[in-house]
Amino acid sequence: MPGGIDPHTHLAMEFMGTVTIDDFFSGHAAALAGGTTMHIDFVIPVNGNLTAGLESYKQKAANAAMDYGFHMAITKWNDEVAREMEVMVKEHGINSFKFFMAYKGSLMVTDDLLLQGLQKCKSLGALAMVHAENGDAVAEGQQRMIDLGITGPEGHALSRPPILEGEATARAIRLAKFINTPLYVVHVMSIDAMEEIAKAKREGQRVIGEPVVSGLVLDDSWLWNPDFTIASKYVMSPPIREAGHSKALQAALSSGILQLVGTDHCTFNSTQKAFGSDDFRKIPNGVNGLEERMHIIWDSMVETGKISVTDYVRVTSTECAKIFNIYPRKGAILEGSDADIIILNPERSFVMGAHTHHSRSNTNVYEGRKGKGMVEVTISRGRVVWEDGVLNIAPGSGRYVRMLPFGYVFDGIEKSDAAYRASLRAPVQRGKASA
Ligand code: URP
Ligand code: ZN
Ligand code: ZN
């Protein structure tokens, strides 16, 4: 099959007072051992400055061992940011921008900024992505839990319930509809958010929903575990939801409501997670998944008969390449494509855990998980990099993949714009109003 492409990772990311434990080398080791041959990471601007953010991520990626691309987060708005967005698209091969509707006081944007950003994305042919949670309400919810004396990891889930994800998803969808630009909703974790996407799609809107592995197979009962080290490793945002949501997300993935699977790989070790041992608001948010994604989706979706092998290739690889306009160079085995290829043995079993994984973290949210379907060989641009349980990778061998704007999700947008303008029946020609 074509190698997996993970549309959503955070390697070497400075976040919540610390830095993710996996950098571009250890993250790539994990990815390649798990059958993923490309990923798209999120550049975080430096004090809102996109150029400085990109420079910093270029340095972070100097030890890359496989191919990667960049999305860029937008965290503040002014004319300079708007100009830099254009430079990112036209000169640096970035064709997607992410807006965080949560993380008040750090990454969160206002509706005003989101509207400006959607407009700019549309004019550049870049895909707007949202982290959809109502950040103001989350801050209220967090204070409510602290006032109730709930300071442990369970407070994380209780303070930001699905309704806040559903609200922000609906708001982002409506604003994207108002601007008439495609929207990509990252880490869809709840039925509430998924149903907003389903409704918008039914109405013909171009909305892409990305579930992540943790949301597809885990439930929030872990957050109530009495051992802080265990409970805190499941803290991510939006939170892993109570049992029932994951099955609904799986069904939505099977039926095409949700289109491609990411990981949101954003790992912190148990020492970093312990920053929040007396206040859940300080637990760095994030879970692992880069190494596990291909195996878990095979085991939980193909092995159980929920999706076909063809759909597996689509949701783990091809769809991502198409959405981000790098198909068929990536996401396919065709003449002229990069030779990113995996061999998965459906008969071979796996057991996951921190003792065998390649991430630098000392914990794993899939600890002890067993299943069937193992990637036995990974080929990255024609080189065998994973075989017989042995990695053969070199720091610096990974290449940056430029992604061009105006991918297929923009096809025909100008026609619906023209239809909208024609429908306005305005301006009405009027004589001077008499006093
Ligand atoms: O908990 C998460 N998701 N951490 C990474 C940052 C983000 O929101 O994507
Ligand atoms: Zn996010
Ligand atoms: Zn993320």
Side-chain angles (χ1 to χ4, degrees), residues 8 10 98 100 103 131 186-187 237-238 264:
H8 187 160
H10 302 277
K98 179 175 177 184
F100 289 90
Y103 304 122
H131 170 133
V186 304
H187 49 42
S237 294
D264 199 5

Side-chain angles (χ1 to χ4, degrees), residues 96-166:
S96 47
F97 294 94
K98 179 175 177 184
F99 302 87
F100 289 90
M101 299 167 80
Y103 304 122
K104 190 172 179 176
S106 59
L107 300 171
M108 180 174 145
V109 301
T110 58
D111 283 357
D112 183 24
L113 191 158
L114 180 56
L115 267 169
Q116 302 283 343
L118 289 168
Q119 201 114 256
K120 190 71 194 174
C121 280
K122 177 178 181 173
S123 71
L124 295 171
L127 187 54
M129 310 172 86
V130 283
H131 170 133
E133 282 185 291
N134 186 317
D136 287 318
V138 166
E140 282 294 317
Q142 290 176 324
Q143 193 55 51
R144 187 190 295 173
M145 293 310 133
I146 297 294
D147 292 346
L148 289 168
I150 302 170
T151 57
E154 69 281 12
H156 180 73
L158 295 170
S159 62
R160 42 207 312 157
I163 188 175
L164 302 188
E165 191 188 343

Side-chain angles (χ1 to χ4, degrees), residues 8-10 13 15 42 98 100 103 131 186-187 210 212 236-238 263-266 285-286:
H8 187 160
T9 59
H10 302 277
M13 181 203 198
F15 188 47
F42 290 87
K98 179 175 177 184
F100 289 90
Y103 304 122
H131 170 133
V186 304
H187 49 42
E210 170 211 83
V212 290
M236 67 167 288
S237 294
T263 60
D264 199 5
H265 184 90
C266 182
N285 289 194

